């Protein structure tokens, strides 16, 4: 498509994610919601959500979710004009949110997997529960109380397996990490769009540096050679 048109390819590459990254980060936000819901239901069915160690892990998932949401919200609230005059999300905040959403996703999936427990890999299929001979035993041992009967538990554990512990889960993780661009390119996008000038200004003033360090010093006069 861009054969021997490197300038066109460079332009598309540098502008393609200007808006599409927003929907991409939204996708990660929904993934965080799914992980939180699956993990919280799993610990609530047995009352484990009352343990501080469990609450700590749930809070970590919530922090991950809210960090993504904060970047999305802030990128719109502080939107900026594109080179052609269109309104676009704040690029630095949007790309930073994308980095946070993608780089932390593997750890958050592992955390949610810990909260769901080993039953997501050993729970029998729906066919076992429907089997006339063993279905009654499934109902007996998978039912906890009147609120958590075997059918709901089976569906929840199957959902947790598909979300966190299946071929699809692995595919989804890789897709999130690489489909828009590889992780190093995400960080390069932040580097290109973050405004480093305020930080340099703060340090210049605090350290009492001269204008030379920013290249703003006056041009030196040439010495006359006799």
């Amino acid at each position: 498509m861009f054969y021997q048109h490197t300038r066109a390819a460079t332009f598309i590459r540098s502008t393609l994610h200007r808006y599409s990254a927003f929907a991409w980060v939204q996708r990660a936000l929904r993934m965080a919601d799914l992980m939180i819901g699956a993990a919280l239901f799993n610990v609530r069915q047995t009352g484990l959500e009352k343990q501080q160690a469990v609450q700590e892990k749930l809070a970590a998932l919530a922090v991950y979710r809210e960090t993504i949401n904060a970047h999305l919200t802030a990128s719109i609230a502080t939107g900026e004009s594109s080179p052609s005059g269109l309104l676009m999300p704040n690029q630095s905040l949007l790309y930073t949110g994308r980095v946070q959403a993608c780089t932390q996703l593997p750890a958050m999936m592992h955390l949610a997997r810990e909260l769901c427990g080993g039953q997501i890999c050993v729970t029998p299929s729906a066919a076992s529960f429907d089997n006339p001979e063993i279905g009654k035993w499934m109902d007996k041992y998978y039912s906890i109380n009147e609120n958590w009967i075997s059918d709901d538990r089976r569906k929840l554990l199957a959902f947790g397996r598909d979300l966190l512990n299946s071929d699809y889960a692995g595919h989804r993780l890789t897709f999130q990490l690489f489909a828009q661009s590889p992780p190093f390119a995400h960080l390069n996008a932040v580097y290109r769009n973050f405004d480093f000038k305020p930080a340099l200004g703060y340090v210049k003033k605090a350290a009492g540096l001269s204008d030379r360090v920013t290249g703003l010093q006056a041009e030196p006069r040439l010495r006359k050679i006799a």
Side-chain angles (χ1 to χ4, degrees):
M1 184 176 181
F2 297 109
Y3 179 64
Q4 294 187 351
H5 291 280
T6 56
R7 290 182 62 187
T10 301
F11 174 77
I12 292 296
R13 184 65 176 174
S14 62
T15 60
L16 179 62
H17 298 162
R18 184 174 288 167
Y19 300 96
S20 66
F22 190 88
W24 189 260
V25 180
Q26 279 185 316
R27 186 197 305 268
L29 184 67
R30 296 285 79 84
M31 180 67 176
D33 287 332
L34 291 175
M35 290 191 295
I36 291 173
L40 185 55
F41 267 135
N42 268 282
V43 296
R44 278 187 173 178
Q45 63 172 325
T46 54
L48 292 178
E49 84 278 10
K50 299 176 183 177
Q51 295 186 6
Q52 289 186 343
V54 171
Q55 293 175 358
E56 179 185 28
K57 289 181 171 61
L58 289 168
L61 286 171
V63 169
Y64 171 69
R65 193 266 182 201
E66 291 296 72
T67 299
I68 299 172
N69 187 50
H71 280 89
L72 287 171
T73 303
S75 69
I76 293 299
T78 60
E80 52 192 357
S81 295
S82 71
S84 56
L86 299 175
L87 181 65
M88 64 181 182
N90 183 292
Q91 297 295 281
S92 179
L93 288 169
L94 179 59
Y95 291 139
T96 302
R98 183 174 64 175
V99 168
Q100 291 295 318
C102 291
T103 58
Q104 297 300 312
L105 181 57
M108 294 299 105
M109 290 182 68
H110 180 67
L111 202 59
R113 192 181 300 114
E114 285 187 359
L115 291 169
C116 289
Q119 288 192 75
I120 61 175
C121 69
V122 298
T123 295
S125 65
S128 297
F129 285 80
D130 294 336
N131 186 284
E133 295 184 10
I134 64 175
K136 59 182 179 180
W137 298 107
M138 295 291 100
D139 288 337
K140 178 179 179 180
Y141 290 108
Y142 267 82
S143 295
I144 298 178
N145 50 45
E146 63 276 6
N147 295 325
W148 281 102
I149 60 175
S150 61
D151 188 54
D152 283 329
R153 288 196 70 213
R154 181 197 63 77
K155 289 178 180 178
L156 176 62
L157 293 169
F159 181 85
R161 177 201 64 214
D162 291 346
L163 182 67
L164 304 166
N165 208 53
S166 64
D167 290 344
Y168 170 78
H171 168 80
R172 193 74 202 161
L173 175 60
T174 303
F175 183 78
Q176 283 295 126
L177 291 178
F178 292 98
Q180 270 214 324
S181 55
F184 76 87
H186 291 184
L187 288 168
N188 285 341
V190 174
Y191 181 82
R192 292 193 303 269
N193 288 273
F194 180 77
D195 185 4
F196 289 95
K197 292 180 181 178
L200 292 173
Y202 293 148
V203 173
K204 177 178 177 294
K205 182 178 180 180
L209 304 178
S210 70
D211 289 340
R212 290 179 177 276
V213 298
T214 58
L216 299 177
Q217 72 275 17
E219 290 292 333
R221 293 182 179 181
L222 297 176
R223 294 178 57 189
K224 292 183 179 180
I225 300 176

